[in-house]
Amino acid sequence: MPDFTEIVKRTYYLIKKNKWLFVYGLVLATVASGGSYSNLRIPSDSLKDWEKVPEEIPQEATKVLGVFTSTFTEWLGSVTWQSWFILVLSIISVLLVSVVIRIVMTGWAKGALIAGFDKAYKDQSVDLRNTTKSGFASAKSLIIFSVLAGLIGVGIVMGLVLLWLIVFLVLGNWETLRIIWAIAGGIAGAFTLIYSIILLTMINVYAERLIVLHGFQPMTAWKKALSLSRNNFLMTFLMGLINSILGSAIGCVSVLIMLVIFGIPAFIVVLPSITAQKLPSIPAIIFLVFLFIIFAYLNFLVQAVIVLFKYGNWGQIFEIAYVKVEGGKIDGK
Amino acid sequence: MENKYASAQLRFLGGLIDWLIRLGGMLLILLRVSQASDLLEIYDSLLYLMTFYLLWGMGSWLMQAYLISRFGGSMGNMLIGVKVISERGANLTFWRAVFRSTIGALVSSMFLYLGYVWILVDQKRQGWHDQISQNFVICPKPKTLLGLVSLTVFLLLNIYLVNLNISGFRRNQELYKTLIRDLKSDIQEFSDTPPSDLQIEGDLPISYLH
C-alpha cells in the first residue's frame, strides 16, 4: 500500500513548482467538472421553494397582463414560419457549437494536464507550449473514450433496471416472491450500481492516463483500465476517498475563510442601510460588487487547486499501479 | 526572427479594430429596434435582433478563423501588417485557427484576461492563446499609420451608429414610457388584488400599435 501522505505532499510540491498547470486546472474547473467542484451550490431547499410558487399565479398573471398578451398573440400570428425556422436553427447551432467547444476543450485540457503532471513527476520543465501538444494528440481518443464510458455506464444502469423489472414481471403470480424480489433485488441492484459507479470512475482514471501517456486506443484502454482497477481496487478506492475528503475540506475551509474576509466588510458597509431601512448607496453597491468579483475569482482559483490535487494524486497512483505493479509492458497502439 | 514579433501595442490596436468591426455590425442591427415606432414593430425587430446576434456571434469567430487560415490574420491584423503563423512559418490550418479563436480566446480571458496580458511579459510576445495554439504573431512590415487611420474611421462610424440609435430611442421615448407605466400599473394592480378577485380587464390600447 502506498504512503498516501507522501503522495499528497508530492502533489503539493509539484503544483507549487509548476505554476503553468494552473491554466489547465482553471480550464477543467470551468468546463470538465460542470460545476461539481463548485463550493457555492444552491441549497436544495431553495430550489424546492421554486416549486412552492402558487399554481394560480401564471393563470392570474395572464388575466391581469392580458393587454400585453393579446398584443403579443397578435404579433405571433404575423410572424412567418421562415423567421421562426431561422431563429430555432440559430439557437440549435449556437447550442451545438457550445457543446462541441466544451467537449473539445475538456479533452484537450485533460490530455495536457495529465501530460503536464507526467513531465513534473520526471522533473522536466512544464509550460503551455510543451504540454498543449499532448492535449491535441490525445483529445480525439479522450473524447471517444468519454462517449464509450458514458454508453457503458448507461448500459449498466439500463441493464440492472431491466433485469429487476423482468424478474419482477415473471414472478407475476407469486405475490410473496415478488415482494422478496422487490426488496432483495432492489438492495442487490443498488449495491451493484454503487460498485459499478466506483469501478467506472476508477476505469476512467486509469484509461485516460493510458491514452495520454501510453497511446492506447479507447477500447484497449478501457479493457486494460478494468484489469488495473480490479487488481488495485483498495488502493484506488482509498485514493478516491482521500481526493473527495481533500476536495471537500479545501472547498469548505476556503469558503469559510473567504466569508470571514469578505463577509465582515460587506456587512459593515450594508449595516447603516439596514438600520435606516434604505437601499445601500451607489458607492456601497459598487464596493459590494467589487468584493463579490474578488470572492468569485478566488473561489474559481480554489476549484482549480482541487482539480490539480485530484489529477496530481491520480497520476501518482497510476504510476504505482501501471509502471510498478503491471510493469507497463503492454503496447496499446 | 525575435525582433519581428508583433509588439503588444500593435496587437492591441489590431484587436481594437476587430472589436470595433464586430460592434459596428451589432449597432447596425440595433438600428432596427431603435427606429421601431410601434409595439408590433418592436417585437418584430427584437426577433430579428436575436436571430442576427446569435448568428453574428458565431459567424464572426468563424470568419476570423477563416481569414487567419487563408490570409494570415483577421481584418484588424491585416490592416496593421500583423501575421499569425504556425511554428513552421506557414498559415494556420482552419481548425487550428478555429481553436485559437474560440478555445484559445476563452483560455486567455478566463482569469482576469491574464492570457492577453501575458503578451507584455513573454519574450516571443505570445499570449496564452498563442502558446496553446502553437503559433507566433509576427510583424514583417508594421503599418501603424494605416492602423491608426482605420481605427479612427471605425471609431467614428461606431460613434455615428450609436448616435443614430440614441436619437431613434429618444424619438420613441413616449412609447416606451407609456409601455413601462402601464406595465407597472398592471403589476401593481396584480400585487394588490387577492387572486380570487382578479378579473380580465381593459382593451388593447390602440396607442401601442400606432
Side-chain angles (χ1 to χ4, degrees), chain A residues 219-293:
Chain A
M219 200 60 216
T220 333
W222 203 92
K223 285 175 190 162
K224 179 69 191 155
L226 180 66
S227 92
L228 278 174
S229 307
R230 276 183 181 158
N231 293 337
N232 304 284
F233 189 84
L234 187 63
M235 174 180 79
T236 319
F237 180 76
L238 285 175
M239 191 72 255
L241 209 63
I242 289 167
N243 272 343
S244 302
I245 293 167
L246 206 65
S248 305
I250 294 174
C252 288
V253 170
S254 64
V255 164
L256 279 177
I257 292 170
M258 280 192 274
L259 277 178
V260 171
I261 293 171
F262 299 113
I264 292 171
F267 184 71
I268 291 168
V269 167
V270 172
L271 194 62
S273 43
I274 293 174
T275 39
Q277 291 190 325
K278 280 181 182 175
L279 277 174
S281 61
I282 300 291
I285 292 173
I286 293 171
F287 180 71
L288 288 176
V289 170
F290 184 67
L291 276 186
F292 180 77
I293 291 170

Side-chain angles (χ1 to χ4, degrees), chain B residues 21-26 51-61:
Chain B
I21 293 171
R22 277 200 290 273
L23 184 69
M26 289 181 157
T51 310
F52 186 82
Y53 276 14
L54 285 170
L55 292 173
W56 181 246
M58 201 169 57
S60 60
W61 295 117

Side-chain angles (χ1 to χ4, degrees), chain A residues 136-151:
Chain A
F136 282 129
S138 49
K140 194 179 155 191
S141 296
L142 284 174
I143 292 166
I144 295 171
F145 173 78
S146 68
V147 174
L148 187 77
L151 285 175

Side-chain angles (χ1 to χ4, degrees), chain A residues 296-317:
Chain A
Y297 269 107
L298 283 176
N299 190 52
F300 184 29
L301 210 60
V302 169
Q303 287 175 41
V305 170
I306 295 171
V307 171
L308 288 181
F309 260 104
K310 204 180 99 176
Y311 272 76
N313 294 342
W314 278 134
Q316 290 179 68
I317 286 293

Side-chain angles (χ1 to χ4, degrees), chain A residues 53-72:
Chain A
V53 175
E55 281 175 16
E56 67 270 19
I57 281 187
Q59 294 163 1
E60 304 297 1
T62 322
K63 283 181 194 169
V64 171
L65 304 177
V67 172
F68 298 95
T69 315
S70 36
T71 326
F72 193 69

